[in-house]
Amino acid sequence: MLDKFTWYKQSTFRWKGEKVVVYIDSWGLTDGLPPADLILITHAHGDHFVPDDIARVKNEKTVIVAPGDVAKQLSGNVKAVKPGDRLDVAGDDDGRAAAFARRFLTHHGLNGGAKICVHRLLPPHAGLGSTPLVRETPLVGRRPQLDQLLDAWRRMQAGRGGAVLVTGEPGIGKSRLVRELRRRVPADVWFEARCVAEQQDSPLRPIADMIAAIGEPLESMLRRRGLDPAETLPPLAAALSLPLDPRWPRPQLTPEREKELAFDILLRLLVRRAADRPVVMAFEDVHWADPTTLELLSLIVREVGSGDLVGADAPRILLVATARPEFTSPWPVGEVAPIPLGRLERDEVEAMVNAGLASGRPLPRAVIAEVIRRTDGVPLFVEEVTRVLMESGVATGAADGAVLDVASLDIPGTLRDLLSARLDALSPTGRATAQLAAVLGREFRGDMLRAAATEDEAILREDLRELLDAGIVYHRRSAPSESYVFRHALVREAAYESMIRSARQRLHLRVATTLRERFPEVERNQPDILALHFEHGGDLDTAVAYWNRAGDRTMVRGAYVEAIRLFERGLALLERLPESRQRTQHELGFTESLGTALLLTRGFGAPEVEEKFTHALRLCEVLGGEDVPLRVLAGVWNVQIARSDRQATAILVENMRQRAERFRDPVTMLSLHGWAGVRAFYLGDFVEARDEMTKATEWYHTEGYRSFVEQYGYDGGILVYAILAWTLWILGYPERARDTCDAMLAIAERTANPGALAAALAYAANLARARRELGRVPELTARCLALSTSWLGAALCTQGWAAVQQGDVEAGIAKMKKGLTFFERAGVHGTYDYHRSALIEAHLTRGATDEALPIVRDALARCQTLLDCFHQAELHRLEGELLRRRGDEAGAETAFRAALELAGRQSARSYELRAAMSWARLLRDQGKRDPARDLLAPVYGWFTEGHDTHDVREAAALLAELR
């Protein structure tokens, strides 16, 4: 049977039956071969489809079957096929079935796998599962590690998913081991991605490549797995940086929420795929993975390890990752099985040499000893040294009985030098093509290589064949278009470093210009790639612009860690430019953006956040006051508000007042009145807060402010309505407060700015708590969190308060403590004690005065130094309630009096009403009903609205009781 086969190169075979001669692919065919009855071409890659080689075996009777893009390049009896086609192309032969042909074509990517009926080619069960994807030495010395991988594969098939991490130094055989697993599993369960150094700040690029390699439109993939494209495609496309069909409008979500939804969709897609067939996901070189990809992998690891993935029972998923030793695994011990790879022993090196490249002829002991000495057990080094020995004629000499002077062999002493020597052995044009490819990256597309090359197409094709023949590069078969990958990262590094700096610079600049001019999708979706090439190409000004664009684009996707690194890269590059006003302006933009990204990841309290915005202010001073961007001032303001710094906020308000004297533009005026109103609110000057916020709302609706929002992307001005509504409630106008809140929500819904809507919902929940509207809290907080997690701490505290009011005290306390933790970790002091007052109320409900009193007294002490003291009267009242519960009536009366007097001075009628009710109940219980009535009646009588609200109804009931 097998004697009917002849192998030529790569995937080129000849089958010679009794009546038919079939060639599969055409690379490597020479003159004088038997003419073909049938030629099957799998795809258009240069190591599969070579028109000149086809001509050597073709005659007038030859039938050629190929995908459409290949067929249109050929003449004669050509049959074009597409997915799903069935085609009879040959008569009966010697009784062998056509199953192999179909599997072969499917495996090699015939446009998704067309079904071809070619009679009598190979045995029905001859598959490709054990056919090497590349020519390489047998796997030696890795039996235990391979058994560990195979055991994980078997357990996964049985329904126990898992994850493994293969680690080891470069060249130790991590990828080789994974490829051995790939040979043992069905092709349709294997999904792979590679992380590369030049894209480690491109969020989810390996995931996008993996999905693209599947070859199925994302919409079709989602539908087939029961997921609605209208809901799932927009966030997924945004996360993966894919173009979005206008049929599926992108919903208004914050970047964080959009990323969360994308992660959830990817997990559901994975699980539903695993419900049908097992899934093996291989991620190579995760030491170069971007943080967002690592975040997603962590979710997969945790969920697979728990066996509790949403949407399926016992999903059959195996995650296989490889990394260098310096990789710090983010995964807890026990969730990922480690497979460390060490260097080979002496006998293993000998076995590898003799079994692999020695072609069955044992090499002399002296040669083996020399290989062992030079390679130190690194498999890639073993392969390369042995290759040199074979090419130098050592094996032939050994067979002829010649005496070998091993010490005189000219073999480079390091792996890097050895790889460089291999590159030097290439033809001049082949070496130049390898260097250009190395500039493009570890993986590179054929069309990009051709576009950037200066050689003729024919010469470039020969160069690629030479690189493929030499094992320098391989085809990346899973890529959706013609793509190649360097055999190893060290090979690519050797090719890259074989050039002098000026040559590398010229190539980088050529690549950058080519990509920008001829591949607009790169500029649109991967500006970091252009930034990298322009930087290495010496065009630093252009590189700076692209680093900034890349950072901004990454921020919009919620990939803040990558954004931080991109902004830092841009700042570092700026230091290499001469000082100028333009450079300072660039530095200001990077610094402000970096400060915002740090704020979103590390919290308002992080020292580096304050440092960045402070530095931004200094840069503004260098540029002159007129050049101070409001977003920089806003960043500094938000930091100081979160830190509740009285002095710093006073200085900033005064600075804004001075700015307003020069510029009376809508944004400046809204900021001035808004900042002044917020500061007055936190200090408890509620009348001033109301007046300032009322003025701010007048500027909010101007065309100038709306234009600013469109440019800036966030509508922070909506918060003037939020603070105004809260202030009106405190001042004793609960109905006006509710109307203002409703107006704020209507505006936020209408403008559809996700960040602004989330903020509006969070403050609306605060007002619902103030008005004791338990039914509104779950809806408002749920909608808020559906848009953004930025308000998670506040939302959890408010949800916890509502749970306590509804009788679920312990669950409510747990939720509030969790929410307060978010404030503490972020270093946020603004409204922290307001939300702690909900926890104090909860402890009061359960009678835990010993737990509550230290909290309330700490909060009161903080009111003496922090800006945030608007809730001080309520804290005094709660202290009084706690003391009353403990039987300290004198202490309770003192606290109630302090609350009542402070609220009166602040015109805080709602707080005054609560304090009056608490003190009146104490007096009632002491038998002092008339003083209690006299205390409460005038406070209650002041209210002209809100008689159906909780507090006012409760005061009316208490007065009725006291009469």
Side-chain angles (χ1 to χ4, degrees):
M1 167 66 188
L2 292 178
D3 61 352
K4 298 180 182 295
F5 274 108
T6 301
W7 173 71
Y8 296 96
K9 279 187 177 182
Q10 190 82 352
S11 298
T12 303
F13 290 85
R14 184 188 75 205
W15 164 266
K16 190 174 185 301
E18 294 179 4
K19 298 180 181 179
V20 65
V21 175
V22 180
Y23 290 89
I24 301 174
D25 284 340
S26 62
W27 186 35
L29 301 180
T30 59
D31 293 330
L33 294 176
D37 296 295
L38 172 65
I39 300 174
L40 301 174
I41 302 298
T42 59
H43 56 291
H45 288 177
D47 56 346
H48 294 262
F49 168 50
V50 184
D52 292 344
D53 291 355
I54 289 177
R56 292 186 173 100
V57 296
K58 173 188 171 186
N59 60 29
E60 66 278 2
K61 296 181 180 180
T62 302
V63 178
I64 304 175
V65 178
D69 59 337
V70 172
K72 66 184 180 182
Q73 302 180 53
L74 297 170
S75 61
N77 191 1
V78 181
K79 309 290 186 183
V81 290
K82 60 182 183 299
D85 285 353
R86 298 183 65 88
L87 184 65
D88 286 334
V89 294
D92 190 32
D93 193 33
D94 61 355
R96 303 300 183 180
F100 175 76
R102 291 195 296 271
R103 284 196 291 271
F104 185 91
L105 292 168
T106 299
H107 180 84
H108 285 273
L110 181 57
N111 278 354
K115 298 179 179 178
I116 313 297
C117 290
V118 184
H119 293 283
R120 317 302 189 225
L121 286 181
L122 286 177
H125 303 293
L128 288 173
S130 61
T131 301
L133 301 177
V134 295
R135 296 180 65 189
E136 54 194 352
T137 58
L139 188 67
V140 174
R142 303 301 188 208
R143 188 72 243 181
Q145 294 87 352
L146 179 58
D147 287 343
Q148 192 172 349
L149 276 179
L150 293 173
D151 183 59
W153 159 248
R154 285 188 290 268
R155 284 187 286 106
M156 184 268 281
Q157 287 181 292
R160 298 191 302 277
V164 296
L165 176 63
V166 182
T167 57
E169 62 184 296
I172 205 66
K174 302 181 294 293
S175 297
R176 177 69 180 84
L177 179 65
V178 173
R179 285 199 298 271
E180 196 65 28
L181 173 65
R182 180 178 181 180
R183 290 180 171 89
R184 312 290 182 96
V185 304
D188 65 332
V189 309
W190 186 272
F191 301 89
E192 65 183 12
R194 187 185 308 279
C195 307
V196 293
E198 55 269 23
Q199 293 186 355
Q200 55 189 317
D201 291 326
S202 297
L204 296 178
R205 174 54 51 186
I207 305 296
D209 289 345
M210 177 184 286
I211 291 176
I214 296 173
E216 180 181 4
L218 197 51
E219 179 183 340
S220 170
M221 193 184 304
L222 292 167
R223 287 189 187 279
R224 194 157 52 83
R225 299 298 171 192
L227 298 172
D228 183 1
E231 295 180 2
T232 57
L233 195 54
L236 198 54
L240 298 176
S241 192
L242 301 174
L244 184 60
D245 191 308
R247 291 177 300 153
W248 316 116
R250 187 174 177 180
Q252 293 294 329
L253 300 170
T254 61
E256 304 94 328
R257 181 58 181 160
E258 197 166 50
K259 187 175 78 170
E260 285 179 3
L261 288 175
F263 279 4
D264 178 68
I265 295 161
L266 288 168
L267 281 173
R268 283 191 284 157
L269 199 59
L270 173 62
V271 171
R272 295 185 184 190
R273 169 64 175 81
D276 295 337
R277 289 279 284 160
V279 172
V280 180
M281 302 178 72
F283 284 84
E284 295 264 21
D285 297 332
V286 293
H287 50 273
W288 285 322
D290 61 274
T292 305
T293 293
L294 280 180
E295 187 179 349
L296 176 61
L297 293 184
S298 296
L299 289 175
I300 296 172
V301 165
R302 184 168 64 247
E303 298 292 353
V304 170
S306 69
D308 189 30
L309 275 164
V310 172
D313 295 326
R316 294 173 297 171
I317 299 170
L318 174 62
L319 176 67
V320 180
T322 69
R324 292 182 179 178
E326 62 266 23
F327 176 65
T328 301
S329 173
W331 307 308
V333 176
E335 290 191 359
V336 177
I339 303 182
L341 298 183
R343 298 188 175 189
L344 299 178
E345 300 294 335
R346 293 176 61 88
D347 60 331
E348 293 169 339
V349 173
E350 182 174 357
M352 182 177 176
V353 172
N354 284 324
L357 299 179
S359 301
R361 296 174 177 171
L363 293 178
R365 301 297 303 176
V367 176
I368 294 293
E370 186 69 9
V371 174
I372 292 171
R373 184 184 72 80
R374 290 176 182 266
T375 62
D376 200 21
V378 177
L380 181 61
F381 206 172
V382 173
E383 288 187 8
E384 293 301 322
V385 168
T386 309
R387 186 190 299 269
V388 171
L389 292 173
M390 297 298 297
E391 292 173 353
S392 66
V394 169
T396 303
D400 295 341
V403 177
L404 300 173
D405 182 6
V406 178
S408 67
L409 293 173
D410 184 18
I411 301 176
T414 67
L415 179 56
R416 178 61 58 80
D417 291 341
L418 192 60
L419 295 172
S420 297
R422 283 194 63 195
L423 291 163
D424 290 339
L426 296 170
S427 67
T429 60
R431 187 167 184 265
T433 296
Q435 291 170 336
L436 176 59
V439 168
L440 282 167
R442 170 79 189 279
E443 296 186 8
F444 56 95
R445 281 168 43 183
D447 56 348
M448 290 182 176
L449 181 71
R450 284 189 289 273
T454 56
E455 294 85 0
D456 292 338
E457 172 75 20
I459 295 175
L460 187 63
R461 184 181 288 272
E462 288 300 321
D463 291 342
L464 282 172
R465 288 181 191 169
E466 183 180 8
L467 297 181
L468 290 163
D469 269 343
I472 301 295
V473 301
Y474 299 138
H475 264 307
R476 187 167 182 262
R477 301 174 184 277
S478 60
S481 60
E482 180 189 357
S483 297
Y484 302 86
V485 59
F486 278 91
R487 176 191 176 196
H488 196 280
L490 295 178
V491 178
R492 184 255 174 179
E493 291 171 14
Y496 186 80
E497 294 176 7
S498 66
M499 297 177 280
I500 61 175
R501 182 180 178 184
S502 59
R504 284 201 302 263
Q505 190 174 68
R506 285 195 300 272
L507 286 183
H508 272 294
L509 193 56
R510 188 201 305 169
V511 166
T513 304
T514 300
L515 293 180
R516 181 171 64 177
E517 293 176 355
R518 299 183 59 178
F519 298 91
E521 72 276 9
V522 175
E523 184 175 39
R524 183 173 59 250
N525 298 328
Q526 295 179 276
D528 53 306
I529 297 298
L530 289 179
L532 183 72
H533 286 302
F534 275 115
E535 178 178 339
H536 291 321
D539 188 347
L540 303 189
D541 288 314
T542 305
V544 163
Y546 277 113
W547 283 126
N548 190 46
R549 186 187 300 188
D552 288 341
R553 191 174 185 282
T554 304
M555 280 277 287
V556 170
R557 297 168 65 188
Y560 300 128
V561 177
E562 291 94 328
I564 289 170
R565 300 200 310 207
L566 292 166
F567 291 137
E568 288 175 342
R569 184 79 178 257
L571 282 170
L573 185 58
L574 280 172
E575 295 179 2
R576 295 165 54 186
L577 292 174
E579 290 190 8
S580 66
R581 184 175 183 81
Q582 184 182 28
R583 189 188 104 161
T584 304
Q585 289 172 332
H586 280 310
E587 184 180 359
L588 175 60
F590 275 114
T591 303
E592 183 272 327
S593 297
L594 179 57
T596 302
L598 289 169
L599 185 151
L600 291 167
T601 53
R602 303 177 192 179
F604 290 95
E608 56 267 39
V609 173
E610 182 177 20
E611 188 275 327
K612 292 304 174 190
F613 281 113
T614 302
H615 181 58
L617 270 183
R618 288 197 295 269
L619 292 172
C620 291
E621 294 171 0
V622 171
L623 290 169
E626 294 187 11
D627 288 306
V628 180
L630 273 169
R631 61 179 182 274
V632 173
L633 294 175
V636 178
W637 170 260
N638 288 331
V639 168
Q640 300 307 333
I641 282 292
R643 291 187 166 193
S644 201
D645 190 315
R646 291 187 182 186
Q647 183 178 3
T649 52
I651 293 172
L652 286 168
V653 169
E654 182 56 32
N655 288 345
M656 186 59 72
R657 199 178 304 281
Q658 293 173 7
R659 180 188 177 96
E661 291 174 0
R662 300 194 308 273
F663 315 106
R664 288 189 59 83
D665 63 279
V667 181
T668 298
M669 299 309 296
L670 185 145
S671 300
L672 169 62
H673 294 300
W675 290 12
V678 166
R679 190 170 189 276
F681 173 83
Y682 276 118
L683 287 173
D685 190 344
F686 300 114
V687 174
E688 182 180 350
R690 177 196 61 196
D691 295 343
E692 291 287 357
M693 287 305 183
T694 300
K695 294 175 184 176
T697 58
E698 295 171 1
W699 291 101
Y700 178 82
H701 295 282
T702 60
E703 184 177 344
Y705 178 72
R706 301 317 308 171
S707 297
F708 172 79
V709 170
E710 290 179 7
Q711 179 182 1
Y712 186 47
Y714 175 64
D715 182 10
I718 195 72
L719 294 183
V720 301
Y721 281 93
I723 299 300
L724 178 58
W726 207 347
T727 301
L728 288 170
W729 177 83
I730 293 172
L731 287 171
Y733 303 104
E735 295 304 328
R736 276 180 258 183
R738 175 66 182 267
D739 292 343
T740 302
C741 181
D742 289 345
M744 170 186 70
L745 291 174
I747 293 170
E749 296 275 11
R750 188 167 59 251
T751 57
N753 185 287
L757 180 56
L761 289 164
Y763 275 94
N766 290 340
L767 183 63
R769 173 186 157 190
R771 288 170 51 94
R772 306 278 173 167
E773 295 175 320
L774 299 182
R776 293 198 78 198
V777 167
E779 174 211 348
L780 292 168
T781 53
R783 288 188 61 202
C784 172
L785 295 181
L787 289 166
S788 172
T789 56
S790 300
W791 300 92
L792 183 58
L796 286 174
C797 289
T798 308
Q799 288 176 347
W801 170 84
V804 170
Q805 300 303 311
Q806 292 169 333
D808 196 352
V809 178
E810 296 305 321
I813 288 175
K815 207 165 230 186
M816 283 185 273
K817 287 182 175 179
K818 184 177 180 181
L820 291 169
T821 300
F822 282 95
F823 280 87
E824 294 156 5
R825 288 177 180 170
V828 175
H829 297 282
T831 72
Y832 173 68
D833 289 313
Y834 164 74
H835 288 293
R836 276 212 294 179
S837 70
L839 181 60
I840 296 168
E841 281 189 60
H843 286 317
L844 178 62
T845 299
R846 60 197 286 262
T849 57
D850 289 342
E851 293 183 55
L853 273 172
I855 300 174
V856 74
R857 285 171 176 166
D858 176 67
L860 285 167
R862 286 158 54 89
C863 287
Q864 305 309 307
T865 57
L866 295 179
L867 173 69
D868 180 15
C869 57
F870 76 95
H871 208 52
Q872 186 175 355
E874 182 69 352
L875 290 171
H876 280 303
R877 184 189 72 82
L878 289 171
E879 181 187 28
E881 292 286 5
L882 292 167
L883 293 172
R884 179 182 168 216
R885 178 68 66 89
R886 298 182 70 173
D888 183 359
E889 294 185 353
E893 184 172 340
T894 300
F896 291 147
R897 178 178 287 108
L900 193 67
E901 291 176 352
L902 177 59
R905 291 195 301 272
Q906 295 175 332
S907 299
R909 303 302 180 186
S910 291
Y911 287 155
E912 188 178 13
L913 182 65
R914 288 185 180 179
M917 284 193 287
S918 291
W919 196 355
R921 291 190 186 97
L922 173 63
L923 293 172
R924 177 200 62 191
D925 293 346
Q926 292 172 338
K928 304 174 182 177
R929 299 177 69 84
D930 290 343
R933 184 177 62 252
D934 294 342
L935 175 70
L936 179 58
V939 179
Y940 169 78
W942 181 91
F943 279 82
T944 59
E945 64 179 61
H947 290 90
D948 60 341
T949 58
H950 178 278
D951 286 356
V952 180
R953 287 201 318 270
E954 194 173 68
L958 181 57
L959 274 176
E961 178 188 343
L962 293 172
R963 286 195 177 94

